[in-house]
Amino acid sequence: MSKLTIGKMREMKAQGKKIVMCTAYDVPTAKMAAAAGVDVLLVGDSLGQVVLGYDSTVPVTVEEMIHHGKAAVRGGGGRFVVLDMPYGSYHISDEDTLRNGLRMVKETGADALKLEGLRELAPRVRSLRRAGIPVVAHIGLTPQTTTMLGGYRVQGRNRLEAVGLIEAAHALEEAGAFMLVLECVAAEVAATISAQTEIPTIGIGSGVGCDGQVLVFYDLLGLNQGFQPSFLKQFADLWSGAISGLEAFGQAVRSGDFPDAAHSFPLSAEEREAMGPLLVTGR
């Protein structure tokens, strides 16, 4: 499968073809997603919680995003890779945003960067676009600033919020964003944004009216135990399979069944004879 281009993604939207995106944080997750035919890989700052064990995405650093971004690009098999800019890397100034953005793209080989915010994000988008960096804008529930939003709640449930989201979508498209991620936006509002914009929208908890969908790799495969928001559907239960495999491994080790001769490298008769009395026997 050849890498999607930004133009091809716009064509998919126009043709009503859904775009599939999921997160990837290292070589194995990127390889599996690519092998499954996922269109776009997102190296999300969600890695702070699902991989690094932070309480939120806020502590994630540029260096951590670069570290994981490099691995995901290497494992992605040529898939289109979007890299999150972490909290604090684009909030100070356009110049600071550009400095961090250029470094992240140059050091990882990612195809695009993703930023969270509303209309105030437009100057940052323009700054990156002027440097030739494609930008994905993330609106709705923005995990980096949930405190300002009143916690983890659906956005756009009242007219004021809905208008703000729709206006932000238009402003960010005009600023040069080539894609919008809509997180936990009321379904009808997300569908309205999707219908009114020419750039693809990727939903997470925002209904079927979006032009594509994204989920976190660990969430959709049942590897993130205890995390079960209402919008999440688990498509596999790898946690149970992994635990069963580890338990079987432990039992085989304790019983002495593993490793057996088939999983060892015994000496040949000639090699044993050449060793003479050196070897310990009887075990």
Side-chain angles (χ1 to χ4, degrees):
M1 179 178 175
S2 60
K3 178 186 290 189
L4 282 182
T5 64
I6 292 172
K8 179 62 177 177
M9 285 185 258
R10 288 179 72 113
E11 289 178 12
M12 291 176 70
K13 175 186 176 84
Q15 296 166 0
K17 297 180 180 178
K18 299 291 188 178
I19 299 169
V20 180
M21 176 190 287
C22 85
T23 63
Y25 309 114
D26 51 27
V27 170
T29 54
K31 278 188 172 182
M32 284 186 273
V38 171
D39 298 314
V40 181
L41 305 182
L42 170 63
V43 188
D45 59 0
S46 50
L47 68 87
Q49 292 161 294
V50 299
V51 176
L52 301 179
Y54 298 145
D55 291 335
S56 71
T57 62
V58 171
V60 177
T61 65
V62 168
E63 287 71 23
E64 287 167 334
M65 292 305 304
I66 289 173
H67 176 79
H68 289 271
K70 286 180 179 179
V73 170
R74 287 194 293 266
R79 288 297 189 276
F80 195 99
V81 176
V82 178
L83 183 64
D84 267 357
M85 294 193 74
Y87 183 70
S89 66
Y90 58 94
H91 297 80
I92 297 174
S93 66
D94 291 349
E95 292 76 14
D96 195 53
T97 300
L98 186 56
R99 185 182 305 110
N100 287 319
L102 286 170
R103 180 188 172 198
M104 292 174 72
V105 169
K106 284 168 66 80
E107 294 189 26
T108 65
D111 298 289
L113 299 177
K114 180 167 77 65
L115 294 72
E116 297 180 8
L118 291 172
R119 297 187 63 157
E120 74 280 359
L121 199 62
R124 306 292 193 257
V125 174
R126 291 192 184 94
S127 177
L128 292 169
R129 289 294 295 117
R130 281 195 294 268
I133 300 175
V135 179
V136 177
H138 180 151
I139 66 175
L141 176 63
T142 47
Q144 293 177 2
T145 53
T146 52
T147 302
M148 292 289 293
L149 299 175
Y152 289 88
R153 65 176 183 84
V154 175
Q155 304 294 301
R157 284 195 177 278
N158 60 64
R159 181 176 178 81
L160 181 63
E161 287 186 355
V163 169
L165 289 167
I166 294 168
E167 290 180 348
H170 288 299
L172 293 167
E173 179 179 25
E174 189 277 331
F178 77 91
M179 178 181 282
L180 290 169
V181 169
L182 309 179
E183 181 166 358
C184 290
V185 173
E188 293 85 352
V189 177
T192 299
I193 291 171
S194 302
Q196 291 184 1
T197 54
E198 295 185 7
I199 58 177
T201 61
I202 306 295
I204 176 168
S206 298
V208 74
C210 298
D211 302 307
Q213 298 292 326
V214 61
L215 284 176
V216 170
F217 183 95
Y218 291 86
D219 296 348
L220 74 94
L221 295 178
L223 286 167
N224 192 5
Q225 289 294 290
F227 182 71
Q228 189 62 52
S230 58
F231 67 81
L232 173 63
K233 179 176 181 178
Q234 290 185 353
F235 291 85
D237 182 12
L238 300 193
W239 178 273
S240 296
I243 296 299
S244 296
L246 289 165
E247 289 174 342
F249 166 64
Q251 182 178 356
V253 170
R254 295 183 183 104
S255 68
D257 291 336
F258 178 82
D260 55 17
H263 297 93
S264 302
F265 303 96
L267 297 171
S268 67
E270 293 79 8
E271 289 170 331
R272 288 197 301 272
E273 183 177 357
M275 295 286 183
L278 175 67
L279 299 178
V280 175
T281 59
R283 294 190 64 184

